[in-house]
């Protein structure tokens, strides 16, 4: 019998015990994969929102606990627009409201000339005009609400008239709508305020240098140049990253205990067998490789099961309309590498003690074992 065949035979000798160990590790990896996919989707949606219209960076309120809670005064917008190193500033008010059965609907308040600047392409009807109650809906939102140009929609206790349908190609915006800035301000009771400002720097200026100058001269504001900066104004994603790390560590710890239990029992049950192998010339290093390889195969199988279950769990989340409205799952390579890495760490940690014990067994002691 070959070395690999022996390893597989040992691994499946106690199918129930091995199966329970695989199940325990797979559950932890499932959680890690599902949370990683969801977090990646949220970051992707947020990144699309921040890159709207090709702005060089976004400005928000310093210290805001959530991007939707950020408030920027018109005076601050004027200060930004007056800078010689800034070519254009576009303020946007983001209001999260309810419409029909959807508890979360993203309503953007914009000046009418801002729509083409931020990449809103009108595909039906027209854009915002002079009407205070004008509203343009994203394609996805219009389909879900069954609304067309000429219909009326009630958002945040205000009745809007749908004048057009837009497309951006982005999940978050296409599931929402855009109204006149002043109208949305009045409905949201936020006069003279916007949530974020899209900044385009003047030609020949370095965007990083301009962003640093804005933060230095206007300390009440912070700049967001990439998705990595979102934690400045949105603690939710940072919390999810921390939770993912914590769950990963728990999966390693709990999984290692489960694997150690399985492998220790396996070594105890095969004490005489190990003694015979040592007696016929097997070196300690080969015994060590056998135990570690068994543990690795067990955990790689658990990682594969956990990855598949994690993908299925993340897909199941999309069946919830509230989640599918603003989240597109992102299956990045990093998520699967992390899951596989957890499997390997669990295998090595769980195999350490059983392997050492197997190596320390002398042939005489092992052969006398009953």
């Amino acid at each position: 019998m070959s070395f690999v065949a022996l390893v597989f035979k040992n691994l499946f000798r106690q199918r129930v015990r091995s199966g329970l160990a695989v199940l325990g590790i797979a559950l932890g990896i499932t959680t890690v994969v599902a949370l990683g996919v969801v977090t990646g989707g949220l970051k992707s949606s947020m990144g699309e929102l921040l890159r709207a219209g090709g702005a060089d960076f976004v400005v928000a309120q310093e210290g805001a606990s959530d991007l939707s809670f950020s408030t920027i005064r018109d005076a601050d917008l004027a200060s930004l627009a007056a800078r010689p190193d800034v070519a254009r500033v576009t303020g946007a008010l983001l209001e999260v409201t309810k419409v029909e059965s959807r508890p979360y609907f993203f309503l953007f308040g914009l000046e009418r000339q801002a729509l083409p600047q931020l990449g809103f392409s009108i595909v039906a009807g027209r854009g915002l005009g002079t009407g205070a109650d004008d509203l343009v809906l994203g394609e996805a939102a219009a389909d879900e609400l069954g609304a067309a140009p000429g219909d009326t929609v009630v958002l945040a206790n205000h009745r809007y008239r749908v004048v057009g349908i837009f497309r951006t190609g982005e999940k978050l915006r296409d599931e929402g709508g855009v109204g006149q800035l002043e109208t949305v301000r009045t409905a949201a009771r936020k006069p003279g305020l916007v949530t974020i400002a899209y900044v385009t720097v003047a030609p020949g200026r370095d965007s990083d240098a301009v962003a640093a100058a804005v933060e230095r001269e206007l300390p009440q504001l912070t700049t967001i140049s990439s998705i990595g900066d979102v934690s400045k104004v949105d603690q939710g994603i940072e919390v999810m990253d921390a939770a993912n790390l914590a769950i990963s560590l728990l999966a390693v710890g709990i999984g290692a205990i489960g694997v150690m239990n399985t492998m220790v029992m396996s070594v105890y049950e095969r004490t005489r067998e190990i003694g015979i192998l040592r007696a016929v010339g097997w070196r300690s290093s080969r015994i060590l490789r056998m135990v570690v390889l068994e543990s690795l195969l067990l955990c790689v199988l658990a990682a594969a099961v956990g990855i598949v279950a994690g993908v299925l769990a993340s897909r199941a989340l999309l069946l919830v309309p509230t989640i599918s409205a603003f989240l597109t799952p992102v299956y990045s390579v990093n998520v699967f590498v992390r899951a596989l890495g957890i499997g390997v760490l669990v295998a090595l940690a769980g195999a350490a003690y059983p392997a050492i014990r197997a190596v320390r067994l002398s042939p005489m002691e092992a052969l006398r074992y009953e």
Side-chain angles (χ1 to χ4, degrees):
M1 182 181 294
S2 68
F3 179 76
V4 175
L6 179 62
V7 168
F8 274 99
K9 181 180 179 181
N10 292 335
L11 184 62
F12 295 105
R13 181 176 295 179
Q14 293 291 339
R15 291 183 177 86
V16 173
R17 189 166 62 211
S18 297
L20 290 174
V22 167
L23 179 61
I25 300 167
L27 285 175
I29 292 178
T30 296
T31 307
V32 170
V33 171
L35 189 56
V37 168
V38 170
T39 303
L42 290 175
K43 288 182 177 180
S44 176
S45 296
M46 188 67 71
E48 290 177 345
L49 177 62
L50 298 178
R51 292 189 297 270
D56 292 299
F57 59 86
V58 169
V59 174
Q61 179 189 5
E62 170 66 26
S65 59
D66 186 274
L67 185 61
S68 62
F69 297 152
S70 167
T71 56
I72 303 175
R73 300 174 303 162
D74 281 345
D76 293 328
L77 288 179
S79 297
L80 288 170
R83 296 180 60 90
D85 50 7
V86 170
R88 186 177 69 229
V89 176
T90 304
L93 180 63
L94 173 60
E95 181 69 8
V96 182
T97 185
K98 179 181 179 180
V99 57
E100 296 184 0
S101 61
R102 284 181 52 179
Y104 301 108
F105 183 87
F106 293 92
L107 176 62
F108 296 86
L110 294 170
E111 299 284 359
R112 58 180 179 175
Q113 70 273 13
L115 267 69
Q117 295 173 358
L118 297 182
F120 292 89
S121 300
I122 304 300
V123 295
R126 61 174 175 82
L128 296 178
T130 57
D133 300 328
D134 284 0
L135 177 74
V136 289
L137 288 173
E139 274 190 317
D143 288 342
E144 186 172 341
L145 298 176
D151 294 340
T152 58
V153 176
V154 178
L155 300 172
N157 298 319
H158 186 88
R159 186 176 295 276
Y160 293 89
R161 183 169 63 93
V162 179
V163 297
I165 309 296
F166 68 80
R167 178 193 301 141
T168 65
E170 300 170 7
K171 182 81 169 180
L172 191 62
R173 292 198 287 170
D174 285 348
E175 289 279 358
V178 180
Q180 301 281 13
L181 177 58
E182 290 303 325
T183 302
V184 177
R185 279 175 167 176
T186 301
R189 298 179 182 178
K190 295 179 180 178
L193 299 175
V194 295
T195 306
I196 55 177
Y198 294 91
V199 178
T200 302
V201 302
R205 298 300 184 106
D206 180 71
S207 60
D208 292 335
V210 175
V214 168
E215 290 188 340
R216 185 171 56 254
E217 298 172 18
L218 297 171
Q220 71 274 26
L221 303 179
T222 187
T223 61
I224 306 171
S225 301
S226 65
I227 191 62
D229 296 332
V230 173
S231 58
K232 294 180 179 180
V233 293
D234 195 327
Q235 304 303 315
I237 292 179
E238 193 172 33
V239 169
M240 292 190 70
D241 281 334
N244 204 351
L245 177 59
I247 291 172
S248 298
L249 294 176
L250 283 174
V252 170
I254 296 173
I257 293 173
V259 171
M260 186 181 299
N261 176 68
T262 299
M263 297 309 299
V264 164
M265 292 301 297
S266 177
V267 169
Y268 269 113
E269 291 171 355
R270 291 152 50 203
T271 298
R272 286 179 62 84
E273 177 186 318
I274 292 173
I276 293 173
L277 292 175
R278 295 291 303 278
V280 297
W282 275 42
R283 296 181 178 180
S284 298
S285 59
R286 198 174 190 191
I287 298 291
L288 181 67
R289 289 201 306 273
M290 180 180 69
V291 175
V292 172
L293 185 56
E294 289 175 19
S295 179
L296 279 173
L297 287 174
L298 189 73
C299 292
V300 167
L301 177 60
V305 173
I307 288 172
V308 172
V311 171
L312 293 177
S314 64
R315 300 293 296 179
L317 287 174
L318 297 181
L319 299 177
V320 181
T322 303
I323 296 176
S324 62
F326 61 88
L327 174 66
T328 300
V330 175
Y331 302 100
S332 66
V333 175
N334 290 338
V335 172
F336 302 121
V337 169
R338 175 183 291 183
L340 185 59
I342 289 173
V344 172
L345 285 176
V346 167
L348 296 178
Y353 172 70
I356 292 173
R357 187 185 186 282
V359 167
R360 286 182 174 177
L361 282 173
S362 66
M364 186 65 68
E365 178 186 357
L367 290 171
R368 292 175 58 189
Y369 182 81
E370 296 293 341

